[in-house]
Amino acid sequence: MTTGASTDHAMPTPQRIGVPREIFPGEKRVATVPDVVTKLVKLGFQVVVEQGAGDLADVSDDAYREAGASIAGSAAELWNGADIVFKVRPPTTEEVTLMRAGQTLIGFVWPAQNPDLMQQLAAKKVTVLAIDCLPRTLSRAQKMDALTSMAGVSGYRAVVEAANAFGRFFNGQITAAGKVPPAKVFIAGAGVAGLAAIGAAASLGAIVRANDTRAEVADQVVSLGGEFVKVDYEEEGSGGGGYAKVMSEGFQAAQREMYAQQAREVDIIITTALIPGKPAPKLITAEMVKSMKPGSVIVDMAAEQGGNCELTEPGKAVVKHGVTIVGYTDLASRMARQSSTLYGTNLFRLTEELCKTKDGVINVNMGDDAIRGLTVIKDGEITWPAPPLAPAAPKPAAKPAAAAAEKKGGHGHGSSGPLPAKTLAIVFGLGALAFWAIGAYAPAAFLGHFTVFVLACFIGYMVVWNVTPALHTPLMSVTNAISSIIVIGALVQILPPEAGTNGRPDALIQWLAFAGIVLTAVNMFGGFAVTRRMLDMFRK
């Protein structure tokens, strides 16, 4: 009994996270960086990094050691000793042979495009979490969304590559040597990568245009400084999971016509269109390339999936018909340090979800929608594709009776509509009676001041109440400053009396006047402070 009790309360052995060196040709990224290693160690994990894994991302082995990681001398040593493996690219056949049963692999896998790899991994009896299968519609999954992180880097880098291949300034300039017009940039696809490209190109001073099959992204394009070019064809283009869908032949014909026009007008085209599990759609034809001005540039971000341009050569930058066509498949890898930092952070956030107990042991909870979507193999059993997420529960509809009452401004309890005529007459009657009583017994001087006070309250109430609710805050912040008149009245009660007057008011009135000055001063300065903060929101 004693032995059993001690076993139940024994601390679990921390798992070891291994980070191998990426062996895919041209890949410079690494799955984690020293800053993330420190956080993983605090979660209770041990971290081991293969020697030289971060060299191409400008991260040294010494930096990993200082962060708390150990260094493995070879890939075989790392794979053999790791319980969890963080990777960027899908594992090669050589790396799969180094895996052992019970290990967990986390990284890009692309199960739809790599069915043979899925079979190899399942045969090894491992658990695989494909970061590319994350359900992106879950709001809490955004911190783990490596696809978004890498797309943002790639979109920015696409503009850098375009600027490098382009022979002019992006922004317009007027110099002593002459006038330079701004570059015109057209971006096909306004997803994460496209929006990043729009922001980068606009910040460089270019005239930016963009198009997307999803009409709802038009506002995002405009907010980043671009112009949304609409296809003259009505069709909904939103697909599942935040992606675009394959459009009808009619839409595609109208889209090709629009692209042909843009190709003749612009200097740079950046294409980003991808559809999950399918080859990249061909948007830019050879004829469109021929129609472009000499020296123009096309950056095809979909080159790895076949390309959006018919003349793209994946992995290369070629010149055809006087147009430079950039088909690099490693845009994110060309900013290896930045990409590795973002990717490592995404994996750390995922690890936090897997290890909520912070004891250095992960729990692949298949009851969690995000984790279930990521898990493509569980203990050697292929679990991909994940079942579709349950739709969110619809908001309860308003009750017809309540809606009708609200519309009419009914007379039930809690109604905010106008008072009935009978009630309004009673209120005015009581008010008139109270006003007569005050006039009959109060001093004549008081009656005059009281009349002005009542009228001021009524006018102020009507002025403020009839303003649009959206303007209440700036209006109140300014009108409150007008309360400085209260300060003047209070000062009259406090300052020394003039010669020939009846003297100072009693002490109670002076103290009330002083309190009025203090409170009104707070109100005045607060009003101006609120107004200033609101105006600052509209300044760049």
Side-chain angles (χ1 to χ4, degrees), residues 218-295:
D219 291 339
Q220 300 176 41
V221 171
V222 174
S223 69
L224 289 170
E227 173 192 352
F228 187 78
V229 182
K230 189 176 179 181
V231 177
D232 190 17
Y233 193 98
E234 294 297 331
E235 182 176 349
E236 175 57 43
S238 295
Y243 295 94
K245 70 174 184 181
V246 178
M247 306 300 286
S248 68
E249 278 299 325
F251 182 92
Q252 293 181 34
Q255 187 182 55
R256 283 193 293 269
E257 182 179 346
M258 183 269 290
Y259 283 154
Q261 179 182 350
Q262 294 300 321
R264 292 190 295 268
E265 296 179 1
V266 303
D267 305 298
I268 297 168
I269 295 178
I270 299 175
T271 64
T272 71
L274 285 173
I275 298 174
K278 298 185 179 181
K282 299 299 181 185
L283 305 178
I284 308 299
T285 63
E287 290 299 320
M288 294 179 193
V289 176
K290 290 179 182 179
S291 70
M292 296 182 72
K293 293 173 283 189

Side-chain angles (χ1 to χ4, degrees), residues 395-417:
K395 294 182 179 179
K399 295 181 179 179
E406 182 179 357
K407 183 176 180 180
K408 293 180 180 179
H411 309 309
H413 296 293
S415 173
S416 58

Side-chain angles (χ1 to χ4, degrees), residues 113-268:
Q113 291 89 339
N114 298 302
D116 293 340
L117 174 61
M118 290 287 288
Q119 294 298 330
Q120 294 173 21
L121 291 169
K124 283 288 184 175
K125 303 297 181 182
V126 297
T127 296
V128 180
L129 276 66
I131 199 71
D132 47 278
C133 292
L134 179 74
R136 303 173 78 184
T137 54
L138 294 175
S139 58
R140 69 182 185 87
Q142 294 177 1
K143 61 185 179 182
M144 304 178 276
D145 191 355
L147 282 174
T148 295
S149 298
M150 297 302 99
V153 175
S154 297
Y156 177 89
R157 183 68 190 195
V159 175
V160 173
E161 296 294 341
N164 180 58
F166 190 52
R168 288 207 330 259
F169 297 125
F170 262 48
N171 62 328
Q173 296 189 18
I174 299 177
T175 68
K179 181 180 178 181
V180 180
K184 294 180 180 179
V185 180
F186 177 70
I187 297 171
V192 175
L195 292 173
I198 292 168
S203 66
L204 289 175
I207 297 173
V208 184
R209 304 168 184 170
N211 169 262
D212 196 279
T213 58
R214 298 160 293 184
E216 64 267 19
V217 304
D219 291 339
Q220 300 176 41
V221 171
V222 174
S223 69
L224 289 170
E227 173 192 352
F228 187 78
V229 182
K230 189 176 179 181
V231 177
D232 190 17
Y233 193 98
E234 294 297 331
E235 182 176 349
E236 175 57 43
S238 295
Y243 295 94
K245 70 174 184 181
V246 178
M247 306 300 286
S248 68
E249 278 299 325
F251 182 92
Q252 293 181 34
Q255 187 182 55
R256 283 193 293 269
E257 182 179 346
M258 183 269 290
Y259 283 154
Q261 179 182 350
Q262 294 300 321
R264 292 190 295 268
E265 296 179 1
V266 303
D267 305 298
I268 297 168

Side-chain angles (χ1 to χ4, degrees), residues 2-81:
T2 306
T3 303
S6 61
T7 302
D8 291 342
H9 292 85
M11 291 294 291
T13 303
Q15 292 180 310
R16 176 176 291 188
I17 296 175
V19 182
R21 180 172 58 87
E22 298 294 326
I23 61 176
F24 187 87
E27 182 57 69
K28 299 178 181 179
R29 291 172 292 178
V30 63
T32 198
V33 294
D35 289 343
V36 176
V37 168
T38 303
K39 298 175 183 178
L40 291 171
V41 171
K42 288 182 179 179
L43 277 181
F45 294 94
Q46 299 175 5
V47 182
V48 57
V49 181
E50 184 181 348
Q51 184 177 4
D55 287 351
L56 297 179
D58 298 323
V59 183
S60 66
D61 292 342
D62 289 338
Y64 282 116
R65 289 191 183 95
E66 291 175 4
S70 57
I71 304 298
S74 66
E77 179 184 344
L78 181 132
W79 285 90
N80 184 57

